[in-house]
Amino acid sequence: MQTQIQARIKHWLSLDSDAKSRDEIQALVDQGAQEELAARFAGRLTFGTAGIRGVVGAGPMRMNRLVVQQTSKGVAEYLKAQVENAASRGVIIGYDGRHDSKQFAEDAASVLTAAGFKVFLTSKVAPTPLVAFGVLHLGAAAGIVVTASHNPPQYNGYKVYWGNGAQIIPPHDTGIAARIELAANSPVDMLPLDVAIESGKLVMLEADYYQAYRQGVLEAEVLQNHTRPELVSLAYTAMHGVGAEMAETLLKDIGVTLVYSVAAQREPDGDFPTVNFPNPEEAGAMDLVMAEAHKQGAMLACANDPDADRFAVAVRRPDATPAMPASQAYQMLTGDQVGVLLGHYLLSHAGDDQRLLCCTIVSSSLLTRISETSGARCETTLTGFKWLTNVGMSKQTQDNRFLFAYEEALGYTVGSMVWDKDGLSALVAFVQLTAELAAKGETLWDRLESIYRQFGYYLNRQVSIALSGEPGAPTIGEQLRALSPSEIAGRALVSVDDISLGVRRFADGSEEAIDLPRSDVLIYRLEGNARVIVRPSGTEPKVKCYYEVVEPFGEDEGMDAVQRRAEATMEDFVSRHQAGLPKA
């Protein structure tokens, strides 16, 4: 074993107070598991804009109690240096239903209270949106939620919110990371929880706190449409996560009585026994909730992911019959379709002083088109909710308040009570939209078709492409920038955005600046409103491509026909673009 790895192991064992973790490392040493030890001690889990996330296990490249303690010490030291009265304002901490989450949350509380901070710790599992909500509700300097969201069972994570209630963005991520590196060099002080409670440094957030979030949703300005909620029927699953109690309560509060919860997935279970992957986007994850909806003849099959910050929905098809399999009777809406439906709906009810929306560069362009025709403003940000909400906050004014943001990966925020994605309030808003349509004798499919007929059928697809590259050859990004194409896949180029330079170049050679943080992304806009976004890998010969095509409706043409035409167009677009990519 390398001397350097041996030294790291010795240092780790000298700091780790968790006997289980130390035994795990010692067992690997005794087994001579050099590759595994080298992997676990190759560095540290990287602290980025969302915090840290990784497989649970011993060692600095895994999620464990010592990593959580060192991370918490780094957060404490950074907050003290950056935020006046941070310690007295305090930090709110919550956690999901994974096996280690409560222990990790308690360790974070012990470290922060030892560092002099007041800490608000949820008394039981909490949906992630409740922690984001709590930062502003309690006036805290920061928030921490222990969650791995919809990752597989072996994962856990540690997510940080800044005092504005949004996920941290640069430079706070690198600032905290530097403090964590320093914290990892020496023992971490911890205050026992009972002592922290007796001294008043630790406040347990009990039922009244959860009720504050509930009341906030009920009073939210954008969630006051109570048109015929009794007409809506839905099946719901928490996907073995922490959303069921609050979701069911909120639905009852707004008058929805026909709610059928999937019992096998209702309670938190860190093993996620009924799904291969607890992510509503994954194939098979929605099977049980669609089966329950089909059994009950419900309009909707709704899901939150395990920490309830995402929302997914399958809608009963117009041609559904009881004899059909559930997978044919119900169709999943894409994240873009839900985002467009919610944005369009909210704009139809919002006042003239609340018409600011946000979507990401890889989301459908349709919401931007809808906003333009509605006298609203839709800001485009880099991918990730950290950008959506921070931009939403920075761009809103007294005359144009923030209304809605979404990303295609099933993330939505409705209004400004929670400055992060919130699958619970999104569920409420979507049900209220469904009820309004039902009261008119219309369906969600009717509304989608109406939008598509007005603006065109927007179809989006994401494709990751591995390319064969020679060692030392220019990167894919360098080659793409050198090509300067006049057309892509037979479509004339309208403009190309090079986000790494902050420049938009038009086909006529003119340029304009782009107000986005620098990122290695190229956006090609083409004739016919088509678009391809390319995110080259800086380390491998591969690219991630996001495609969009728009098909207009012909006179008397049905939606199924336009959809088939759009899918054929997309197939041709993707294959021709891939064929034209550099091979190295």
Side-chain angles (χ1 to χ4, degrees), residues 521-551:
V521 177
L522 293 162
I523 304 175
Y524 300 95
R525 293 182 178 83
L526 310 169
E527 66 177 354
N529 292 320
R531 181 188 72 185
V532 58
I533 300 172
V534 183
R535 296 175 64 186
S537 169
T539 57
E540 302 174 89
K542 73 175 185 179
V543 293
K544 222 177 216 184
C545 300
Y546 302 82
Y547 298 94
E548 179 172 87
V549 297
V550 184
E551 288 291 325

Side-chain angles (χ1 to χ4, degrees), residues 92-96 126-128 131 143-147 157-161:
I92 176 174
I93 302 174
Y95 56 94
D96 69 11
T128 289
V131 181
I144 295 166
V145 59
V146 178
T147 180
Y158 182 110
K159 184 176 180 180
V160 180
Y161 293 98

Side-chain angles (χ1 to χ4, degrees), residues 468-483:
S468 58
E470 297 296 328
T475 67
I476 297 301
E478 290 169 343
Q479 293 184 70
L480 287 171
R481 289 179 172 86
L483 286 175

Side-chain angles (χ1 to χ4, degrees), residues 11 14 28 62 73 99 111 125 134 152 171 192 196 215 294 308 327 338 343 357 374 378 400 446 460 462 531 551 572:
H11 177 67
S14 73
L28 291 171
R62 299 287 186 268
K73 182 178 179 181
H99 294 305
V111 172
V125 293
Q215 196 62 35
H294 196 34
S327 59
V338 174
L357 303 89
S374 302
C378 187
N400 193 18
D446 295 329
N460 295 77
Q462 176 185 335
R531 181 188 72 185
E551 288 291 325
D572 179 68

Side-chain angles (χ1 to χ4, degrees), residues 335-336 339 358-360 363-364 367 385 388 404-408 411-412:
D336 281 316
C358 296
C359 60
T360 76
S363 300
S364 171
L367 186 58
F385 247 85
L388 287 167
F404 174 70
Y406 93 93
E407 62 180 359
E408 78 292 341
Y412 317 93

Side-chain angles (χ1 to χ4, degrees), residues 390-451:
N390 277 286
V391 169
M393 271 186 270
S394 68
K395 296 292 186 180
Q396 75 169 346
T397 64
Q398 190 172 356
D399 296 329
N400 193 18
R401 295 176 293 128
F402 175 81
L403 176 64
F404 174 70
Y406 93 93
E407 62 180 359
E408 78 292 341
L410 309 184
Y412 317 93
T413 186
V414 178
S416 56
M417 188 184 89
V418 174
W419 285 105
D420 193 17
K421 51 188 173 291
D422 182 352
L424 297 165
S425 58
L427 168 65
V428 170
F430 196 84
V431 168
Q432 290 178 331
L433 160 62
T434 306
E436 180 181 89
L437 291 171
K440 300 176 185 176
E442 298 177 7
T443 69
L444 291 157
W445 301 117
D446 295 329
R447 175 57 56 84
L448 262 181
E449 182 170 344
S450 172
I451 293 170

Side-chain angles (χ1 to χ4, degrees), residues 3 61 67 98 129-131 160 167 224 227 229 243 245 290 305 327-328 357 371 380 387-388 416 473 479 493 512 561:
T3 304
M61 289 294 290
V67 162
R98 289 173 185 259
L130 269 73
V131 181
V160 180
Q167 294 179 40
Q224 295 307 307
T227 306
E245 184 176 352
M290 287 196 290
D305 68 338
S327 59
Q328 294 178 18
L357 303 89
S371 299
T380 302
W387 297 115
L388 287 167
S416 56
Q479 293 184 70
L493 185 76
E512 67 182 28

